[in-house]
């Protein structure tokens, strides 16, 4: 079945640095990718999404890059702030299109 | 309301006891999803509903887990004869646009501790 994985379980950065969080997926037919942020004690919160017909999408301080050739997705956070400290997940639809499958999260720690 | 309401926030059960978790989706959202988060960085999909109909239950451990979404009632996830390994945070999410849309809104979860 499909799988979604992340390269690094933890990432520590200094305030003001740029952060890059990576995700690999297995299903080449995936057409939709989403990044979620989960703060302590809360449910995941939508950050940004990208369709498979795009390579890049930008939001406010966040950019998602999609490389379909190597089935890799990344989330870039510019000028990382302490409030960005959270666990970040990528998610893709399952093959049946009935639910989102979450990758293993990356815990981002931002020190000031 | 505009939030997914999950109750209770915390639930402690002795091994072998029943646990029942509730989820009130956002009004107007016809899709409901349950996820289990055992470790901080892993989510497991359990079951999804479209209105009161099961949409996908492939993630459910069927021998002890059951779920319902009945009209005019909160959705529920019930675990019969809980085991230590059921200890986790259970999240409910609802969506208006469909199971793979961006419109998932998650609740804050119910932390189940089995002792």
């Amino acid at each position: 079945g499909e799988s979604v994985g992340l390269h690094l379980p933890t990432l520590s950065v200094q305030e003001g640095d740029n952060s890059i969080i990576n995700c690999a997926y297995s299903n080449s037919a995936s057409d939709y990718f989403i990044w979620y942020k989960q703060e302590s004690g809360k449910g995941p919160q939508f950050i940004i999404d990208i369709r498979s017909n795009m390579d890049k999408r930008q939001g406010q301080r966040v950019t998602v890059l999609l490389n379909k050739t190597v089935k890799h997705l990344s989330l870039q956070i510019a000028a990382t702030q302490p409030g960005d400290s959270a666990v970040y997940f990528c998610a893709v639809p399952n093959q049946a299109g009935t639910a989102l499958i979450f990758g293993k999260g990356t815990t981002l720690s931002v020190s000031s | 309301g505009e939030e997914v309401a999950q109750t209770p926030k915390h639930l402690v059960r002795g091994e072998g006891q029943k646990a029942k978790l509730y989820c009130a989706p956002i009004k107007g959202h016809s899709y409901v999803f349950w996820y289990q988060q055992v470790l901080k960085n892993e989510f497991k999909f359990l079951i999804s509903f479209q209105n009161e109909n099961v949409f996908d239950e492939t993630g459910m451990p069927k021998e002890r887990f059951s779920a319902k979404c009945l009209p005019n009632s909160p959705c529920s996830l019930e675990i019969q004869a809980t085991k230590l390994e059921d200890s986790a945070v259970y999240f409910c999410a609802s969506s208006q646009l469909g199971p793979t849309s961006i419109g998932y809104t998650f609740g804050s979860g119910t932390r189940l501790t089995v002792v």
Side-chain angles (χ1 to χ4, degrees):
Chain A
E2 64 280 308
S3 67
V4 186
L6 278 168
H7 298 291
L8 283 176
T10 60
L11 177 64
S12 296
V13 301
Q14 292 283 323
E15 185 177 0
D17 287 351
N18 296 333
S19 303
I20 300 176
I21 300 170
N22 297 304
C23 181
Y25 60 95
S26 63
N27 183 7
S28 56
S30 293
D31 62 353
Y32 185 48
F33 308 87
I34 311 168
W35 282 100
Y36 282 90
K37 172 185 180 183
Q38 185 183 23
E39 295 175 291
S40 182
K42 297 183 179 179
Q45 183 179 21
F46 170 84
I47 304 173
I48 192 167
D49 66 317
I50 188 168
R51 295 269 175 201
S52 60
N53 60 354
M54 301 172 70
D55 298 322
K56 179 179 178 179
R57 190 165 187 216
Q58 286 184 292
Q60 188 176 17
R61 283 201 306 118
V62 295
T63 300
V64 56
L65 298 177
L66 176 63
N67 185 331
K68 295 180 288 293
T69 303
V70 295
K71 291 185 279 188
H72 181 270
L73 185 69
S74 68
L75 176 71
Q76 300 180 357
I77 306 173
T80 316
Q81 301 169 359
D84 295 326
S85 294
V87 183
Y88 290 81
F89 295 88
C90 62
V92 300
N94 62 5
Q95 283 192 327
T98 53
L100 292 177
I101 301 299
F102 284 73
K104 291 188 179 182
T106 289
T107 300
L108 175 65
S109 299
V110 182
S111 52
S112 30
Chain B
E2 290 301 308
E3 65 172 26
V4 175
Q6 289 190 248
T7 55
K9 285 195 179 303
H10 302 278
L11 188 60
V12 180
R13 286 289 178 266
E15 208 173 358
Q17 290 186 316
K18 184 175 75 175
K20 195 163 185 179
L21 292 60
Y22 296 92
C23 168
I26 291 174
K27 193 175 180 182
H29 283 196
S30 51
Y31 292 89
V32 172
F33 311 86
W34 285 98
Y35 287 84
Q36 179 193 55
Q37 188 175 30
V38 175
L39 299 173
K40 191 172 80 165
N41 62 347
E42 287 192 38
F43 275 93
K44 180 189 173 189
F45 167 71
L46 296 175
I47 190 168
S48 57
F49 287 85
Q50 182 180 15
N51 297 311
E52 62 267 27
N53 303 307
V54 173
F55 200 69
D56 181 345
E57 58 181 348
T58 52
M60 285 283 270
K62 290 183 185 172
E63 59 276 7
R64 295 184 298 109
F65 284 58
S66 62
K68 293 178 187 177
C69 277
L70 300 176
N72 302 314
S73 296
C75 297
S76 63
L77 176 69
E78 189 168 315
I79 309 172
Q80 302 285 344
T82 52
K83 296 183 178 181
L84 296 177
E85 69 236 36
D86 299 330
S87 294
V89 183
Y90 291 83
F91 286 97
C92 172
S94 71
S95 168
Q96 183 182 36
L97 299 174
T100 57
S101 72
I102 65 169
Y104 273 50
T105 302
F106 281 84
S108 296
T110 292
R111 180 175 294 278
L112 172 65
T113 303
V114 181
V115 298

